[in-house]
């Protein structure tokens, strides 16, 4: 009888021991799998936050002026080249009207996911001052990088009676407010450049707005206006063809592409002004996306292919990365806002 009890107790003890070991092993394996799962999840989350990706599909670039001008030409040339570095198609869209306000108003509603970029120029700061209810404010955007810079130039048709800058100024002095000068829209850089010229030279023009430099060229060639302001590269082909004449540039030094064209400072009119052409993104674009875009566009801008393209257009590359361009914009903003305020006051 005692032996039977001993055997029974032994069996029960062994069974309980085995069950306990099995439970502990399962618990240990379960905890290990859970820990591994949590570790993988945490690692995945870290990787997602550290490497934000551009969305699938085309990258859209909005140009707020008409086709054919310097800004449009620059961005279209860059778009063709940067596709290789982005591994995306880049589509350039022109959204025109009100000197750029219509386009920038649309850009204010873009998603900050890297799918939409736009031309970033001084008009972002000047148009809200000069125009009411633009539909955007400068804080809706932030700079990505800068591509180029060109000075303002005073241009007339080749058959114009104004053969020199002195002829032009004398005519404006003799006929205040009668000599027409075209620009790319009120509040646009070429409007502000002409206004600065008026102020420094002590003369007055009849300013006529258009949607971009390409339209002012056609208006001048058609005899609808006496002159206009644009950058030298925007009129290079017509100058070479003998259709237009540049009277002067608003640069510190003469252009290497137009060495025979004087600067205003050579006529004791101290003005140095022009347009910088950059790229911008919505203000809520994550830094990781900004970095990815900056890397791709930096490679494209500094490529031999883009340098050759810009040289053929007679345009100047003035590359600034995100940090440098952001600082540049902060320093330039007060100057252009003041010019817009002066232009607005002059119109009243």
């Amino acid at each position: 009888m005692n032996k039977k009890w001993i055997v029974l107790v032994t069996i029960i003890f062994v069974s309980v021991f085995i069950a306990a070991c099995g439970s502990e092993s399962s618990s240990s394996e379960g905890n290990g799998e859970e820990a591994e799962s949590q570790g993988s999840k945490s690692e995945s989350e870290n990787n997602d936050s550290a490497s934000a990706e551009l969305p699938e599909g085309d990258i859209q670039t909005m140009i707020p002026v008409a086709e054919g001008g310097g800004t449009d030409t620059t961005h279209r040339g860059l778009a063709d080249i940067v596709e290789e570095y982005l591994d995306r198609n880049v589509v350039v869209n022109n959204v025109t009207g009100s000197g750029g306000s219509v386009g920038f108003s649309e850009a204010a509603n873009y998603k900050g996911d890297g799918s939409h970029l736009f031309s970033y120029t001084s008009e972002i700061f000047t148009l809200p001052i000069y125009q009411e209810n633009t539909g955007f404010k400068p804080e809706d955007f932030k700079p990505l990088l800068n591509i180029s810079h060109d000075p303002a130039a005073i241009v007339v048709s080749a058959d114009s009676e104004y053969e020199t800058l002195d002829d032009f100024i004398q005519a404006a002095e003799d006929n205040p407010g009668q000599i027409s000068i075209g620009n790319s829209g009120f509040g646009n850089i070429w409007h502000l450049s002409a206004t600065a010229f008026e102020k420094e030279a002590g003369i007055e023009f009849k300013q006529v707005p258009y949607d971009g430099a390409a339209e002012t060229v056609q208006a001048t060639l058609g005899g609808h206006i006496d002159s206009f302001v644009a950058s030298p590269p925007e009129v290079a082909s017509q100058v070479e063809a003998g259709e237009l004449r540049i009277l002067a540039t608003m640069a510190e030094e003469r252009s290497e592409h137009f060495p025979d064209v004087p600067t205003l400072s050579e006529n004791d009119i101290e003005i140095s002004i022009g347009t910088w052409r950059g790229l911008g993104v919505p203000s809520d674009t994550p830094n990781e996306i900004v970095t990815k875009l900056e890397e791709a566009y930096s490679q494209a801008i500094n490529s031999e292919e883009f340098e050759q393209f810009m040289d053929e257009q007679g345009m100047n590359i003035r590359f600034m990365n995100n940090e440098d361009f952001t600082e540049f914009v902060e320093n330039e903003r007060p100057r252009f806002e003041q010019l817009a305020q002066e232009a607005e006051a002059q119109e009243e």
Side-chain angles (χ1 to χ4, degrees), residues 253-269:
E253 298 178 352
R254 292 195 179 196
S255 167
E256 62 180 52
H257 297 287
F258 300 98
D260 296 331
V261 176
T263 66
L264 287 184
S265 61
E266 292 178 41
N267 287 66
D268 297 322
I269 302 173

Side-chain angles (χ1 to χ4, degrees), residues 7-290:
V7 172
L8 182 59
V9 171
T10 301
I11 291 172
I12 293 172
F13 177 78
V14 170
S15 298
V16 171
F17 179 76
I18 292 173
C21 289
S23 175
E24 182 178 349
S25 174
S26 298
S27 175
S28 176
E29 290 176 1
N31 290 339
E33 290 174 356
E34 183 178 355
E36 182 177 351
S37 175
Q38 290 178 346
S40 298
K41 182 179 180 182
S42 175
E43 182 179 351
S44 175
E45 290 176 348
N46 288 338
N47 287 339
D48 287 343
S49 63
S51 57
E53 295 295 331
L54 294 174
E56 294 296 328
D58 297 342
I59 301 267
Q60 306 288 330
T61 301
M62 188 280 297
I63 311 301
V65 292
E67 292 185 37
T71 299
D72 177 74
T73 300
T74 297
H75 284 287
R76 288 185 182 276
L78 181 59
D80 290 339
I81 296 170
V82 78
E83 290 181 339
E84 174 187 348
Y85 302 97
L86 284 170
D87 193 27
R88 298 280 196 286
N89 291 326
V90 179
V91 180
V92 177
N93 300 303
N94 298 81
V95 182
T96 65
S98 299
S101 285
V102 174
F104 288 129
S105 295
E106 177 181 296
N109 296 308
Y110 289 161
K111 291 182 178 180
D113 60 0
S115 63
H116 287 78
L117 289 77
F118 47 86
S119 171
Y120 194 100
T121 59
S122 60
E123 285 78 14
I124 284 175
F125 308 111
T126 60
L127 291 175
I129 292 174
Y130 198 85
Q131 301 176 11
E132 294 183 0
N133 304 317
T134 56
F136 73 92
K137 56 185 183 299
E139 289 70 28
D140 291 329
F141 317 119
K142 61 183 178 182
L144 178 64
L145 44 69
N146 194 58
I147 306 166
S148 67
H149 179 277
D150 285 304
I154 303 164
V155 188
V156 297
S157 64
D159 59 1
S160 170
E161 60 184 290
Y162 315 122
E163 296 187 1
T164 66
L165 180 63
D166 287 337
D167 293 338
F168 189 62
I169 293 175
Q170 187 63 55
E173 289 176 345
D174 294 341
N175 305 277
Q178 298 300 308
I179 307 300
S180 57
I181 188 165
N183 59 60
S184 297
F186 285 149
N188 181 279
I189 181 60
W190 303 141
H191 169 225
L192 301 184
S193 299
T195 300
F197 174 42
E198 286 179 309
K199 180 181 177 181
E200 291 299 319
I203 52 181
E204 180 184 354
F205 295 112
K206 176 183 178 182
Q207 298 229 29
V208 184
Y210 292 89
D211 274 326
E215 290 191 11
T216 61
V217 169
Q218 294 307 314
T220 304
L221 292 176
H224 303 295
I225 53 177
D226 299 311
S227 62
F228 67 96
V229 176
S231 66
E234 291 174 308
V235 298
S237 61
Q238 290 89 352
V239 171
E240 292 172 0
E243 297 174 336
L244 295 175
R245 178 166 59 245
I246 302 176
L247 296 181
T249 66
M250 303 184 194
E252 295 180 357
E253 298 178 352
R254 292 195 179 196
S255 167
E256 62 180 52
H257 297 287
F258 300 98
D260 296 331
V261 176
T263 66
L264 287 184
S265 61
E266 292 178 41
N267 287 66
D268 297 322
I269 302 173
E270 299 300 331
I271 301 177
S272 178
I273 190 172
T275 184
W276 33 268
R277 303 183 177 100
L279 275 167
V281 294
S283 59
D284 61 348
T285 305
N287 291 334
E288 295 86 356
I289 294 295
V290 170

